[in-house]
Amino acid sequence: MTGTEIRTKFLNYFKSLEHTIKPSASLVPTDPTILFTIAGMVPFKPIFLGEVTPLPFTRAASCQRCIRTNDLENVGKTARHHTFFEMLGNFSFGDYFKEEAIAWAWEFLVKIVGLPIDRLWVSVYEKDDEAEGLWRKFVKPERIVRLGEKDNFWKMGETGPCGPCSEILYDQGEEAGCGKPDCGVGCSCDRYMELWNLVFTQFDRAQDGSLSPLPKKNIDTGMGLERLAAVMQGVKTNFDTDLVKPIIDYVAQMTKFTYGTDLSKDVALRVIADHLRGITYLIADGVIPSNEARGYVLRALIRRAMRTGRKLGLDESFLFQVVPTVVKIFNNDSNLGQERDHISRIVKLEEDRFMGTLDRGLIILEDIINEYKRKSQGKICGTDIFKLYDTYGFPVDVTQEIAFESGLKIDMDGFKEEMENQRKQARLAGRFFRVEEEKEVRLEGETKFVGYELSKVKARVLMLRKDKNEVEQVTAGDEVEIVLDGTPFYAESGGQTSDTGFIKGDDVELVVTGAKWSDKVILHQAKVQKGELKLKCEVEAEIDLPRRVSIAANHTATHLLQAALRQVLGSHVKQSGSFVGEDYLRFDFTHLEAMKERELRRVEEIVNEKIRENLPVTTSETTLEEAIASGAMALFEEEYGERVRAVKIGDFSLELCGGTHLKATGETGLFKLLNESGIAAGTRRIEAITGEAAYQHVCRQEEQVSQLANLLKTSPREITQRVERLLQGMKEQEKELAQLKSRMVSYQIPELVKDAVMVEGIKTVARELPGMDANALRHAADLILTALKSGVVVLASSLRLASSENKVFWVVKVSQDLTDRVHAGKLINELAKITGGGGGGRADFAQAGGTLPDKINEAMSKIINYQLTIINCNC
């Protein structure tokens, strides 16, 4: 029975028992307390905790994709450990309990998939007489084992919901066991494999440890699909099932090794196959490699798989080639198939990026390890680990693995201390002025925000604060903070800037410059223009409506932009930050590479198409679960309340958002992209403008085009062709100039050869040839060395580039008969350092650059000393 068939049979069985079948949720959970979906119950956690009312269903079943990285070192070494796996589970929320859960689990294993009864054992919690009594209907008493709280009692935390559990185990036979006389259920060997865990959530644990019955009891079960597949397919490990083995076979074919003939290579193949399953689905669920949170875990998996591949001789990027094989295994998942090319591309980019880091770091780490071994020191100090990490970008986990393989430990405490010192230095460097801590505003109740519907509202002054102290009244010229019982002013949040406007009363007027949240109240920052404002008096609060409309246009455009980016680049695009202001919008999103010009153009086209379609912009309030189920985009790092606000733009965009928006997209007018750039690894930023700002931008561009056309004495339509002709002419002139310089150098060669000096019997020419670029300098060195026949040529040049930057070029050539005495790469490295640069190369040829032309003479004066040093040390 294939893995796909088992998955289908399980879900169909519980569907026949009136369970709602839920598709696998994303590996990225909505729960902000965890990084990944680690168990089948994670998507149902709000229901278990009673946070969802009314219940959408009381019975459910799923096959949930999961990621766990807490046991990474054992992956591949044991038959069962994985980072990525699928969890079959059935759940009851105050519906059925132990009797049905036990009966159905037994029926599925014995009657539906046909496991032999004589191979099945059961464990129960040592105090759970009820569970044992129910199991005796199906299992002989001698095959029921009581275990303690450590093995058979589940709890969410030190307090809260908990309960006993019962496991169904499969006896794999004596040959899979440890051979010890006391081997049995509960033994750590592979003989009695845990197959299905049934959790009976029936108690609430108090602070004092006492247990009280829950008013509604729940069922939470979990069975590893890979484990059941291994049993059904009669193989020894999960890695030998059809859910993993095709990946192993593909990679083994790439390495020319036969799986099953060498244990160390088998482990390596298993690690790669396991990690690739997790890598593929993490990227499909929107995670991209980075140095933070989920992205860091993904990057670590890719890099660990790459390092493991090197042990098998796979020194080039290879993981991306295996992605289609992973996708083929999960052919029931159409979304994964659609994302295949995108996943391969991201994996390839990350592999290529890591190749350089790995090559450099491995050489340096090898030197460090050899030095510690030479000194008979068994632990690499934290300073060396930190230097590898901070200077060369070499991952600490890779350092740890390689050190361990070499028989060395690493000083992680020392490394953490170095990291903390760096953070302290960064904090000190950024502390340009002392910021006094603001006094917290403490008020009962909350400010009622009415700004979605109204731009002007009557309100009462609840608090006045001047110089961070509460006061009874303020007068003209005072800068104050005001709390009202109701307000139309949007307080800065969710990336959107705050409203500005006015607060007016009897003979008093204030200009509001901003608003911010403090707990549940909105603080209005304002300056009294005239009159006197007293506590508890009634005022009228009014926002700057034209400014609000500009902000709303930019916010609505931000939603259109994200939807367009996902349409053009793929569903991996997720918001990672934003700013919505009056003048422009900024949108940060997950994407690994710079956008191409055609992609940017297409995104802008789509946004403007949706503006012209004048799509309605509507809002609604709902529960978080209902919003996510309807397809709403959410920031998973964001903490949402019980009720959320969803903003829908036609059928094009649906996002959770508390910001202000237009009524229809047509009010945006025009959308123009200004810039696209990278702000961090895997994160891009787009800046754009809308409406009047976009129109003025187009006008300025047209004016610039007109001015350029006048300067070039052509029409605006002909500018491109005119510039191309000018550039072509410049290239031809530069070519002629280079040829002229080359001829001039050829005339100087007899003189340069005549002026050669002897250093330890080696003819050496060292000369500065101003105004020559690297190509011309290389050509000159070739001519001089040809004339010398045997010797060393050192040439330097300085050149002012079009950017007004001064550039230094160095070239060193050594005849083949002298490369055992003089190394061009080492000599040039010393010279380039003096002129503010660096470089290197082979023993016979090297080139370098620099930025300090005035240091060329100083470097030239030291050539003989450096050359003598290289000759005498024979290096």
Side-chain angles (χ1 to χ4, degrees):
M1 193 179 291
T2 66
T4 299
E5 288 170 342
I6 295 169
R7 190 190 295 116
T8 302
K9 280 184 179 291
F10 180 87
L11 297 176
N12 285 344
Y13 173 71
F14 280 99
K15 185 177 182 180
S16 71
L17 295 170
E18 299 179 342
H19 286 61
T20 298
I21 305 303
K22 300 296 289 181
S24 176
S26 170
L27 288 173
V28 180
T30 56
D31 184 347
T33 65
I34 53 176
L35 273 184
F36 298 113
T37 301
I38 56 173
M41 64 81 66
V42 169
F44 302 108
K45 185 178 173 183
I47 300 177
F48 272 116
L49 296 177
E51 297 172 356
V52 179
T53 54
L55 291 179
F57 41 75
T58 59
R59 298 180 180 188
S62 67
C63 182
Q64 176 62 48
R65 299 186 297 272
C66 303
I67 284 274
R68 292 181 190 173
T69 57
N70 57 327
D71 222 351
L72 205 58
E73 293 306 314
N74 285 322
V75 172
K77 296 176 183 177
T78 71
R80 314 289 168 216
H81 281 95
H82 296 287
T83 52
F84 174 91
F85 59 95
E86 293 184 82
M87 184 74 79
L88 299 165
N90 58 292
F91 309 88
S92 167
F93 314 107
D95 191 334
Y96 62 84
F97 199 49
K98 289 183 188 179
E99 183 174 1
E100 293 89 344
I102 288 171
W104 293 339
W106 186 259
E107 183 178 39
F108 178 77
L109 290 179
V110 174
K111 294 184 179 179
I112 304 301
V113 298
L115 293 189
I117 294 175
D118 61 354
R119 289 290 189 101
L120 297 176
W121 288 68
V122 171
S123 70
V124 296
Y125 177 50
E126 59 189 358
K127 298 178 181 178
D128 195 352
D129 296 333
E130 181 187 6
E132 180 174 353
L134 291 168
W135 274 119
R136 285 181 177 234
K137 297 177 182 178
F138 310 103
V139 184
K140 294 177 181 178
E142 60 269 23
R143 284 182 172 267
I144 302 173
V145 180
R146 289 186 178 236
L147 296 175
E149 186 168 331
K150 177 177 175 292
D151 295 299
N152 277 62
F153 196 90
W154 176 86
K155 58 182 179 180
M156 187 173 286
E158 292 306 310
T159 61
C162 57
C165 55
S166 177
E167 286 190 330
I168 305 172
L169 305 99
Y170 186 81
D171 183 0
Q172 301 192 91
E174 291 184 15
E175 64 277 9
C178 57
K180 296 177 182 177
D182 59 346
C183 180
V185 173
C187 182
S188 60
C189 72
D190 279 342
R191 178 171 178 177
Y192 297 95
M193 180 178 68
E194 298 162 356
L195 199 60
W196 200 343
N197 189 22
L198 315 179
V199 178
F200 312 126
T201 313
Q202 63 186 98
F203 298 118
D204 185 18
R205 191 192 293 270
Q207 287 282 2
D208 61 4
S210 60
L211 300 175
S212 56
L214 286 171
K216 287 189 175 181
K217 300 176 175 63
N218 299 323
I219 289 293
D220 163 20
T221 84
M223 173 167 54
L225 174 62
E226 293 82 2
R227 293 191 179 201
L228 182 54
V231 172
M232 296 301 301
Q233 294 170 19
V235 293
K236 294 180 180 179
T237 77
N238 294 0
F239 297 95
D240 295 307
T241 67
D242 69 324
L243 295 167
V244 189
K245 186 67 164 29
I247 308 170
I248 291 175
D249 290 341
Y250 190 93
V251 179
Q253 191 175 8
M254 296 172 79
T255 64
K256 309 300 182 190
F257 292 122
T258 303
Y259 179 64
T261 59
D262 183 311
L263 181 58
S264 65
K265 290 182 174 61
D266 287 352
V267 169
L269 288 166
R270 290 173 182 177
V271 168
I272 293 168
D274 169 85
H275 288 10
L276 263 168
R277 287 174 11 120
I279 289 163
T280 300
Y281 260 111
L282 281 172
I283 296 172
D285 284 342
V287 182
I288 64 170
S290 70
N291 289 327
E292 295 179 357
R294 301 179 182 99
Y296 178 81
V297 174
L298 173 58
R299 173 164 283 169
L301 290 175
I302 293 173
R303 293 182 171 188
R304 194 166 188 269
M306 283 181 67
R307 270 206 65 245
T308 306
R310 286 198 162 206
K311 296 176 185 177
L312 299 173
L314 297 169
D315 295 330
E316 302 299 324
S317 300
F318 74 96
L319 295 174
F320 75 99
Q321 300 176 50
V322 195
V323 169
T325 301
V326 181
V327 173
K328 190 175 181 181
I329 290 172
F330 296 95
N331 56 14
N332 62 309
D333 189 338
S334 59
N335 178 61
L336 194 65
Q338 293 168 6
E339 295 291 322
R340 187 190 70 179
D341 293 343
H342 164 69
I343 296 165
S344 295
R345 187 157 50 90
I346 285 187
V347 173
K348 177 71 162 61
L349 285 167
E350 182 63 18
E351 284 188 278
D352 291 346
R353 181 178 286 133
F354 188 50
M355 290 294 289
T357 300
L358 197 59
D359 288 336
R360 289 192 302 272
L362 286 172
I363 292 169
I364 298 164
L365 181 56
E366 187 178 343
D367 290 342
I368 291 172
I369 288 171
N370 290 337
E371 183 66 15
Y372 274 83
K373 285 186 173 180
R374 188 178 66 78
K375 294 178 180 178
S376 299
Q377 295 176 346
K379 181 184 282 189
I380 302 175
C381 73
T383 306
D384 286 334
I385 304 164
F386 178 75
K387 184 179 179 182
L388 263 173
Y389 171 79
D390 189 52
T391 307
Y392 302 103
F394 201 70
V396 179
D397 56 336
V398 177
T399 301
Q400 194 168 21
E401 278 193 38
I402 295 173
F404 178 77
E405 291 167 3
S406 302
L408 297 178
K409 297 178 181 178
I410 70 171
D411 177 16
M412 280 305 295
D413 290 336
F415 169 75
K416 290 174 183 175
E417 188 177 331
E418 292 287 341
M419 286 290 289
E420 184 56 33
N421 288 338
Q422 186 192 55
R423 291 190 189 101
K424 286 178 181 176
Q425 289 297 321
R427 286 196 291 268
L428 287 171
R431 195 176 294 164
F432 298 112
F433 54 88
R434 184 169 176 268
V435 180
E436 291 187 22
E437 187 176 340
E438 290 193 10
K439 293 181 181 178
E440 187 178 356
V441 179
R442 293 191 177 278
L443 284 175
E444 294 296 324
E446 58 187 84
T447 303
K448 184 180 181 182
F449 174 65
V450 296
Y452 293 138
E453 302 86 17
L454 303 171
S455 60
K456 182 165 58 176
V457 68
K458 298 281 187 184
R460 186 172 297 280
V461 178
L462 298 182
M463 189 204 74
L464 291 170
R465 193 163 73 159
K466 178 183 173 185
D467 298 327
K468 299 182 174 62
N469 295 306
E470 292 188 34
V471 294
E472 294 286 326
Q473 64 181 41
V474 291
T475 58
D478 287 344
E479 292 185 355
V480 298
E481 290 180 316
I482 305 168
V483 176
L484 305 174
D485 60 352
T487 182
F489 285 86
Y490 182 86
E492 183 174 340
S493 61
Q496 179 177 322
T497 191
S498 66
D499 283 322
T500 59
F502 304 93
I503 294 176
K504 298 177 183 179
D506 293 337
D507 299 320
V508 64
E509 184 175 317
L510 298 89
V511 174
V512 178
T513 57
K516 64 180 182 179
W517 284 101
S518 180
D519 197 15
K520 293 185 178 181
V521 299
I522 292 178
L523 283 173
H524 303 75
Q525 287 101 27
K527 184 172 183 178
V528 184
Q529 297 296 299
K530 68 173 186 177
E532 185 179 88
L533 182 66
K534 294 182 179 180
L535 199 63
K536 297 183 180 178
C537 73
E538 194 171 277
V539 293
E540 185 176 72
E542 181 178 5
I543 63 171
D544 181 341
L545 190 56
R547 183 176 180 274
R548 158 73 78 81
V549 171
S550 295
I551 294 168
N554 283 331
H555 205 150
T556 299
T558 303
H559 286 219
L560 293 173
L561 173 61
Q562 177 165 216
L565 285 167
R566 287 171 63 84
Q567 186 172 314
V568 173
L569 301 179
S571 60
H572 65 281
V573 169
K574 300 284 190 305
Q575 179 179 338
S576 56
S578 70
F579 172 76
V580 177
E582 172 190 7
D583 302 318
Y584 78 105
L585 66 93
R586 185 180 71 226
F587 184 75
D588 302 338
F589 60 99
T590 53
H591 189 57
L592 270 185
E593 57 186 340
M595 289 180 66
K596 299 176 180 64
E597 188 62 36
R598 58 178 171 77
E599 291 172 335
L600 288 167
R601 191 164 53 249
R602 182 59 189 139
V603 165
E604 188 176 87
E605 285 173 356
I606 290 170
V607 174
N608 281 301
E609 282 171 10
K610 298 306 170 185
I611 289 171
R612 290 193 298 273
E613 289 174 17
N614 199 27
L615 300 174
V617 181
T618 57
T619 62
S620 60
E621 277 201 9
T622 181
T623 65
L624 178 61
E625 185 179 83
E626 287 170 351
I628 298 298
S630 67
M633 292 285 293
L635 285 173
F636 290 109
E637 291 76 13
E638 212 49 38
E639 286 192 40
Y640 294 99
E642 289 183 15
R643 304 286 294 176
V644 294
R645 183 171 180 261
V647 177
K648 189 174 188 290
I649 304 178
D651 291 326
F652 185 66
S653 168
L654 180 60
E655 292 189 37
L656 301 186
C657 178
T660 59
H661 287 271
L662 303 172
K663 299 297 182 185
T665 58
E667 298 172 34
T668 309
L670 178 66
F671 174 85
K672 284 297 295 179
L673 284 175
L674 294 181
N675 185 48
E676 190 269 352
S677 60
I679 58 170
T683 306
R684 308 297 299 177
R685 170 172 289 173
I686 279 180
E687 292 170 302
I689 48 179
T690 64
E692 178 67 19
Y695 172 71
Q696 292 298 334
H697 175 75
V698 172
C699 290
R700 285 192 298 272
Q701 285 187 322
E702 287 182 346
E703 187 178 345
Q704 288 172 348
V705 169
S706 180
Q707 290 172 352
L708 280 172
N710 290 333
L711 285 171
L712 294 168
K713 294 182 170 43
T714 187
S715 68
R717 287 185 178 182
E718 300 292 326
I719 284 179
T720 303
Q721 294 91 323
R722 177 70 172 143
V723 171
E724 284 175 348
R725 287 196 297 270
L726 286 172
L727 289 173
Q728 184 60 37
M730 289 173 63
K731 284 180 182 177
E732 290 171 0
Q733 289 174 351
E734 287 171 359
K735 186 177 179 181
E736 289 176 10
L737 185 60
Q739 290 171 348
L740 181 60
K741 286 179 179 178
S742 180
R743 284 199 296 272
M744 289 173 65
V745 170
S746 65
Y747 297 144
Q748 298 176 42
I749 286 175
E751 181 186 345
L752 293 171
V753 171
K754 181 182 174 184
D755 292 341
V757 296
M758 299 296 288
V759 181
E760 293 284 317
I762 298 173
K763 284 187 285 186
T764 303
V765 173
R767 184 67 70 90
E768 179 183 0
L769 302 176
M772 301 187 77
D773 63 13
N775 290 330
L777 214 58
R778 243 185 345 258
H779 179 62
D782 288 337
L783 293 174
I784 295 168
L785 192 60
T786 300
L788 282 176
K789 293 186 173 61
S790 175
V792 175
V793 179
V794 181
L795 299 180
S797 176
S798 62
L799 192 66
R800 183 177 288 275
L801 304 178
S803 62
S804 298
E805 176 190 2
N806 288 318
K807 182 76 175 175
V808 176
F809 299 101
W810 285 97
V811 168
V812 174
K813 292 212 74 171
V814 178
S815 57
Q816 289 295 333
D817 61 313
L818 297 174
T819 52
D820 60 337
R821 300 181 65 193
V822 181
H823 192 288
K826 293 179 179 177
L827 176 57
I828 206 170
N829 190 44
E830 297 299 328
L831 298 171
K833 284 179 185 175
I834 298 172
T835 56
R842 306 188 305 267
D844 63 329
F845 172 76
Q847 56 186 2
T851 57
L852 304 172
D854 55 335
K855 294 281 188 178
I856 290 177
N857 287 336
E858 179 186 337
M860 285 288 184
S861 69
K862 296 183 178 181
I863 287 175
I864 293 175
N865 289 335
Y866 286 141
Q867 195 170 330
L868 284 171
T869 302
I870 292 171
I871 292 169
N872 292 332
C873 75
N874 194 29
C875 61

